[in-house]
Amino acid sequence: MSTVTTSSRTRPPAPARPRARLDWRLRFGALSLIWGFSFLLIKVGTEGYAPFQVTLGRLVFGTAVLVTAMAVKRERLPRGARLWGHMAVAAFLLNALPFSLFAYSELTIPSTLAGICNATSPLWGMALSLVALSEDRPTRVRVAGLGLGFLGVLTVLGAWQGFHGLDATGTAMALLASLSYPVGWIYVRRTLAGTGNSHLSMTGGQLLLATVQLALVTPLFTSVPEHFALVPLLAVAGLGVLGTGLAVLIQYGLVAEVGPTTAQMVTYFIPVIATAAGVAILGESLRWTTPVGAVVVLAGAALTQVRGKGA
């Protein structure tokens, strides 16, 4: 809400009608769907293009959305060489690295498993914060959640069956991608907090840097496609415009309206949607260990977010 001071000699203008805003629950649901379907789009994209090409295309389209939003709001990119140096590291940890790892992982593992691996990020974040953030004290509930969550990971992977039928390299890449996110957020918290720049301008600069990083790396490991497959190309475009660009804008709107705690609950819906999409649309197989383990992972992740004094 803003207030306008007017002179007593002039008639105040009629109050502007508030712009209709979509209910936050609908936006929350849309964000869950967008990110849940992202793993399906990655899988479809890699059917026509190399993983690095999928990631580069995703970043190009996503950056275009953020740059357009900045232009509409008349915001500028951040300034300062030191700031851009820190942003380059954040771009690598939060965008270039995990996006590439997920793309490579889905060459050999189903999108359902990749989506569930993504849900381990809160678990990695909890474990890392105990070491890296002195103000983040452990409690019995949160430590129990950490243990429960990783038990769920072992259930998903079928550890007692010797990981039978599981591609170890692809799964390790997906788990490493999920680990990269909390590492990046801890780095951002330590180096980029309180810069005075808006979230939109910081994220726009970050995606731009990640795009440059992939633009430099991709030609070294791939060649220009002989033909551009339409369906995979549309998947990459959707992954960038929706899953990387629009999703970020929705997320920041949710954080501003309902707070980060409620907004981050979207994490717990992503694997459910990713699993449903992979099975229903891509026809991926589903063992009983996958949904059961996913529920355990999500329960553990939820417990790690509980604040307050431990018992």
Side-chain angles (χ1 to χ4, degrees), residues 30-31 33-35 37-38 41-42 53-69 99 200 203 207 211 232-251:
L31 184 60
L33 286 171
I34 289 171
W35 275 340
F37 271 88
S38 291
L41 294 176
I42 292 172
Q53 293 171 340
V54 171
T55 304
L56 176 58
R58 173 182 187 174
L59 287 168
V60 168
F61 284 108
T63 302
V65 173
L66 268 292
V67 170
T68 301
F99 290 0
L200 178 58
T203 306
L207 284 181
T211 303
L233 181 60
L234 292 176
V236 173
L239 185 63
V241 172
L242 300 176
T244 308
L246 180 61
V248 169
L249 298 178
I250 296 175
Q251 182 191 34

Side-chain angles (χ1 to χ4, degrees), residues 119 122-123 126 141-152 268 293-306:
L123 302 177
M126 167 67 182
V141 172
R142 299 183 74 193
V143 172
L146 187 63
L148 182 65
F150 284 115
L151 177 62
Y268 308 126
V295 170
V296 178
V297 168
L298 295 176
L303 289 176
T304 64
Q305 304 306 304
V306 174

